[in-house]
Amino acid sequence: MTIAYACILFMGLLPYVAVGIAKKGFEGYDNAMPRQWLAKQTGFRARANAAQANLFESLPFFFAAVIIASVAHAPQDRIDLLAVGFVLARIVYLICYIANWPTTRSIVWLFGIICVVSLFFQI
């Protein structure tokens, strides 16, 4: 397994970390209606849930970029570097979202998108 493919696996699991943070302590958690419970949350729980949604939304673009670059035989070291850059950006993004640092979060988001777009230019 390449580093980039390991990044795909990691990114596939990262949204679940965000939702775990949103459900931290399960105060009043309703497992029968988890989405409705999450929709009513405020503060860090609401931000973690929003981060979860955004993390899921970013997956197809990232997965496609890594796979297409790999199939096109782009240099593996560059694919790995850009994939790791994206993963690190998304981890910092999650931290910024939960901490309520919107400007920093947007800058980190931009860095992540640049990594993904750059993967396409490796082809």
Side-chain angles (χ1 to χ4, degrees):
M1 177 183 299
T2 66
I3 291 171
Y5 287 172
C7 289
I8 288 175
L9 175 60
F10 181 85
M11 285 305 303
L13 298 173
L14 188 59
Y16 299 106
V17 172
V19 80
I21 293 168
K23 295 177 182 178
K24 183 178 184 274
F26 296 96
E27 297 168 19
Y29 179 70
D30 182 0
N31 196 42
M33 311 232 353
R35 291 183 187 214
Q36 287 83 348
W37 180 83
L38 282 167
K40 295 176 188 172
Q41 299 310 299
T42 60
F44 83 91
R45 292 178 193 280
R47 291 190 302 274
N49 188 45
Q52 172 212 192
N54 190 278
L55 288 166
F56 272 125
E57 292 163 1
S58 70
L59 294 181
F61 194 38
F62 173 64
F63 289 178
V66 170
I67 293 166
I68 291 169
S70 295
V71 168
H73 302 291
Q76 190 62 49
D77 60 334
R78 287 191 215 149
I79 297 171
D80 292 341
L81 179 66
L82 291 166
V84 168
F86 179 77
V87 167
L88 292 174
R90 297 309 278 177
I91 291 169
V92 173
Y93 175 87
L94 175 58
I95 293 166
C96 290
Y97 219 133
I98 293 167
N100 199 21
W101 301 332
T103 302
T104 306
R105 182 184 82 218
S106 295
I107 293 167
V108 171
W109 177 88
L110 180 61
F111 177 77
I113 290 299
I114 289 169
C115 288
V116 173
V117 170
S118 295
L119 279 164
F120 285 102
F121 286 99
Q122 301 306 308
I123 300 170

